[in-house]
Amino acid sequence: MTTTEAAVPFLSIGEVAERTGLSVHALRFYEREGLLVGPVQRTSGGRRRYTSLDVEWLLICVKLRESGMPLADLKHFAELVRRGPGNEAERLQLLDAHRQRVDAQIQALEECRSVIAWKVGVYAEHLARGEADGLWDPTT
């Protein structure tokens, strides 16, 4: 390791995996697919060296993927960020469309939760009164 390499606090792929919750395999995949906003630096021995900015970006990527953003959209977002200033309106449009999809999913889940809560109440009430026999019994 050179003096310059030692001066900057770089992280290994294992450390980044630990900090982001992504596997080493997933980190390599993200790199291959062009999902990072900058090239991953390498040591003179070829080992990957990540920065805190790489980790911050990956944490955003993790949340976008967990919220259902398609890989193609994430890739496009990364491409826009890599291009630098001047495409903020396009980034906003991409993120806003994703937010709208997430909002729709949340609304659908809230409706599902409402039905489930209602059914829990029905069963709890019947059980509390000792009247659960035959409750939605398809054999009667």
Side-chain angles (χ1 to χ4, degrees):
M1 183 179 288
T2 68
T3 307
T4 306
E5 289 174 342
V8 181
F10 288 106
L11 301 165
S12 71
I13 195 168
E15 290 168 322
V16 173
E18 188 175 311
R19 291 181 186 200
T20 61
L22 293 168
S23 68
V24 169
H25 177 74
L27 288 167
R28 289 181 183 129
F29 173 80
Y30 272 45
E31 183 181 353
R32 260 192 330 271
E33 291 297 312
L35 298 172
L36 299 173
V37 291
V40 176
Q41 297 180 32
R42 304 272 180 152
T43 66
S44 55
R47 293 188 179 265
R48 289 171 175 83
R49 300 185 319 169
Y50 295 88
T51 65
S52 59
L53 290 175
D54 293 324
V55 172
E56 287 178 34
W57 173 255
L58 286 163
L59 290 171
I60 291 168
C61 290
V62 165
K63 290 303 176 191
L64 291 172
R65 288 293 293 148
E66 283 179 357
S67 63
M69 179 178 272
L71 204 52
D73 286 355
L74 183 55
K75 194 174 194 173
H76 184 58
F77 184 53
E79 288 170 6
L80 292 171
V81 172
R82 271 194 303 275
R83 287 184 203 156
N87 58 31
E88 292 81 4
E90 193 174 350
R91 294 182 211 178
L92 173 61
Q93 183 179 13
L94 188 147
L95 290 171
D96 191 49
H98 181 61
R99 182 191 53 79
Q100 289 177 30
R101 286 190 303 270
V102 170
D103 287 346
Q105 291 171 339
I106 289 169
Q107 182 172 345
L109 284 172
E110 286 174 346
E111 291 170 8
C112 293
R113 182 177 57 192
S114 177
V115 170
I116 293 166
W118 170 72
K119 283 308 291 177
V120 165
V122 168
Y123 276 85
E125 183 181 318
H126 279 79
L127 284 169
R129 289 192 316 233
E131 299 174 357
D133 288 345
L135 188 61
W136 273 43
D137 183 352
T139 63
T140 59

